[in-house]
C-alpha cells in the first residue's frame, strides 16, 4: 500500500494544500470524499475578517464541525510553530484540533523538534512543510517524529521559497535523505507533473493551484477567470519578507508595485489582502498567486476528477 495513504488513512495520496481564506469545509470535504486529504487553511469558511484568538478559534470550530457533517473521512488543519505564531492563534488552533478530534496537522514553518515531539505525544499525525526546504531540516523533522515531509519547490504558488531549487530537485534530494514519505509541492497541476514527481521519489502530491481551480473552491469566479486567462510569460515574481520569501502573481497592482519596490531596494512591499483579492475577486486588492505551470490547467474541474488524475501515477506499477 502507498505509505502516504497508510499513514493518513486515505486511498489516494493527494493532499490539498491549505490556502488562507479560500479553503472551506466544502472544498476539504470534497477532496477527502474523493480519497485524498482535504486540509483546512486559516480562515476557512470565514465570511468576514475576524480579530482575536478566541473569536478565531470559535469560528474555526464551526468550520471543523461543518466539515465533519460533509465527510466521515480524515482531513487536516494548517498550523504553525510558535516562532511564527507570536499572538498564539495557531497554538489555540492546535488545542482546538485536539478537542475536535482532527488528527492531522499540516505544519508550515521552520522545523521545531520539541514541538513536533509534543504534537506526536498528543496523538497527531504531522506533515511538515518548511517554507525553504532543506535536507538538514527534513532529517531533523524525521528524527523528531514527523510522519511526512513536504518538498516545496520554487515552482509553487503561494509564498514561494527564497531558495531557487525547483520541485523536481527538492523532491529528489529530500526523498534521498529521509526514510519517511515525501510529498512533492509546486506545479503539480496534472497527471504528467504528478508522474514526474513520482519518478524522482515522491510518494504523493501536495496540490494548491490545482485546488484553487476546482469547482468546489470558494475563490471568486473573477479570481479563477483571471488565473485561467493569464499568459504564463506574464506572471510577476517579487520578493517579500526582507528577501526570505517571494510571490508569483498574475499581473496586477501589488505585483507590479512590488516588483518596482524590489528594484529600489525595498524587499518587503505589501502583498495586499487575500480576503479582498482572491476570495472577493478584486485582483488589485491582493495577489492572485499560482504555480509557474498554471497554464497547463485547461479546465476548472470537480475535486473528485482532480484527485483521481493526480493520484493516477501512484496507482500504477
Amino acid at each position: 500500500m502507498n505509505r502516504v495513504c497508510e499513514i493518513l488513512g486515505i486511498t489516494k495520496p493527494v493532499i490539498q494544500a491549505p490556502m488562507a481564506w479560500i479553503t472551506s469545509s466544502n472544498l476539504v470535504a470534497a477532496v477527502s470524499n474523493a480519497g485524498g486529504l482535504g486540509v483546512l487553511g486559516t480562515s476557512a469558511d470565514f465570511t468576514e475578517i475576524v480579530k482575536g484568538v478566541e473569536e478565531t478559534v470559535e469560528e474555526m470550530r464551526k468550520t471543523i464541525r461543518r466539515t465533519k457533517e460533509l465527510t466521515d473521512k480524515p482531513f487536516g488543519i494548517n498550523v504553525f510553530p510558535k516562532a511564527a505564531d507570536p499572538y498564539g492563534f495557531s497554538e489555540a488552533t492546535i488545542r482546538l484540533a485536539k478537542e475536535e478530534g482532527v488528527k492531522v496537522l499540516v505544519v508550515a514553518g521552520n522545523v521545531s523538534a520539541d514541538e513536533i515531539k509534543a504534537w506526536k505525544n498528543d496523538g497527531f499525525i504531522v506533515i511538515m512543510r518548511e517554507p525553504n526546504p532543506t535536507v538538514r531540516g527534513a532529517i531533523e523533522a524525521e528524527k523528531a517524529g514527523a510522519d511526512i515531509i513536504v518538498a516545496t519547490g520554487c515552482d509553487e504558488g503561494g509564498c514561494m521559497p527564497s531558495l531557487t531549487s525547483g520541485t523536481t530537485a527538492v523532491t529528489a534530494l529530500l526523498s534521498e535523505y529521509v526514510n519517511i514519505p515525501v510529498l512533492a509541492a509546486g506545479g503539480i497541476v496534472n497527471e504528467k507533473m504528478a508522474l514526474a514527481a513520482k519518478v524522482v521519489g515522491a510518494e504523493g502530491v501536495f496540490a494548491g493551484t490545482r485546488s484553487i481551480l476546482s469547482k468546489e473552491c470558494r475563490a471568486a469566479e473573477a479570481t479563477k477567470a483571471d488565473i485561467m486567462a493569464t499568459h504564463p510569460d506574464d506572471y510577476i515574481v517579487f520578493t517579500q519578507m526582507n528577501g526570505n520569501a517571494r510571490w508569483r502573481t498574475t499581473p496586477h497592482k501589488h505585483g507590479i508595485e512590488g516588483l518596482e519596490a524590489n528594484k529600489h531596494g525595498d524587499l518587503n512591499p505589501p502583498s495586499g489582502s487575500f480576503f479582498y483579492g482572491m476570495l472577493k475577486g478584486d485582483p488589485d486588492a491582493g495577489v492572485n498567486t499560482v504555480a509557474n505551470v498554471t497554464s497547463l490547467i485547461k479546465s476548472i474541474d470537480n475535486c473528485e476528477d482532480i484527485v483521481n488524475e493526480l493520484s493516477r501515477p501512484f496507482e500504477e506499477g
Side-chain angles (χ1 to χ4, degrees):
M1 183 179 183
N2 177 280
R3 291 198 297 168
V4 170
C5 293
E6 186 174 7
I7 290 167
L8 297 174
I10 60 179
T11 59
K12 298 180 186 295
V14 176
I15 285 70
Q16 162 248 310
M19 299 165 289
W21 282 107
I22 59 173
T23 46
S24 65
S25 53
N26 188 44
L27 172 66
V28 168
V31 172
S32 291
N33 285 333
L37 184 83
V39 183
L40 294 169
T42 55
S43 304
D45 267 0
F46 291 19
T47 57
E48 59 185 23
I49 296 173
V50 174
K51 296 181 179 179
V53 173
E54 185 175 341
E55 189 176 356
T56 299
V57 166
E58 289 313 307
E59 286 301 311
M60 186 57 75
R61 190 186 304 276
K62 295 175 187 175
T63 301
I64 289 171
R65 291 181 177 180
R66 277 193 294 267
T67 306
K68 288 180 178 179
E69 291 173 359
L70 296 170
T71 184
D72 60 357
K73 304 295 192 297
F75 63 91
I77 194 165
N78 190 203
V79 299
F80 308 88
K82 289 180 182 178
D85 179 34
Y87 302 107
F89 283 92
S90 194
E91 189 174 7
T93 300
I94 293 168
R95 289 196 298 269
L96 170 64
K98 188 174 181 180
E99 292 170 10
E100 294 293 329
V102 179
K103 297 295 186 182
V104 182
L105 302 181
V106 177
V107 183
N110 295 329
V111 175
S112 172
D114 289 343
E115 288 180 88
I116 292 173
K117 291 174 184 176
W119 296 327
K120 291 300 299 177
N121 286 338
D122 278 340
F124 288 112
I125 297 167
V126 176
I127 300 176
M128 187 68 218
R129 184 188 185 207
E130 283 189 285
N132 285 289
T134 62
V135 169
R136 289 189 178 95
I139 292 171
E140 183 182 5
E142 180 181 26
K143 286 181 178 177
D147 298 279
I148 298 171
I149 299 290
V150 180
T152 305
C154 63
D155 309 279
E156 74 152 343
C159 190
M160 298 160 55
S162 59
L163 302 176
T164 56
S165 295
T167 300
T168 300
V170 172
T171 302
L173 280 170
L174 269 55
S175 63
E176 178 73 16
Y177 281 88
V178 297
N179 294 311
I180 56 177
V182 170
L183 301 171
I188 311 299
V189 297
N190 59 21
E191 182 177 352
K192 180 167 61 176
M193 301 305 284
L195 176 59
K198 179 188 177 184
V199 168
V200 297
E203 295 183 51
V205 298
F206 192 87
T209 298
R210 192 66 190 93
S211 301
I212 298 171
L213 296 174
S214 68
K215 292 179 180 178
E216 292 89 347
C217 181
R218 72 174 187 149
E221 292 305 312
T223 297
K224 296 179 185 181
D226 174 63
I227 292 170
M228 292 291 285
T230 299
H231 190 279
D233 294 343
D234 292 339
Y235 298 134
I236 292 173
V237 175
F238 68 97
T239 296
Q240 204 192 38
M241 299 182 189
N242 297 316
N244 291 316
R246 297 175 298 157
W247 294 99
R248 179 186 298 103
T249 179
T250 58
H252 299 288
K253 181 178 184 292
H254 282 284
I256 294 167
E257 293 181 355
L259 185 58
E260 190 63 26
N262 287 172
K263 292 177 182 178
H264 292 88
D266 180 0
L267 299 181
N268 198 30
S271 55
S273 165
F274 282 109
F275 177 79
Y276 292 109
M278 297 191 83
L279 180 61
K280 296 299 184 180
D282 180 355
D284 286 327
V287 291
N288 279 351
T289 177
V290 292
N292 60 357
V293 291
T294 301
S295 61
L296 297 178
I297 301 172
K298 304 303 182 184
S299 59
I300 296 174
D301 303 306
N302 62 53
C303 286
E304 182 176 10
D305 289 340
I306 292 169
V307 169
N308 286 340
E309 179 184 4
L310 297 184
S311 67
R312 204 167 291 130
F314 300 94
E315 297 171 349
E316 297 172 354

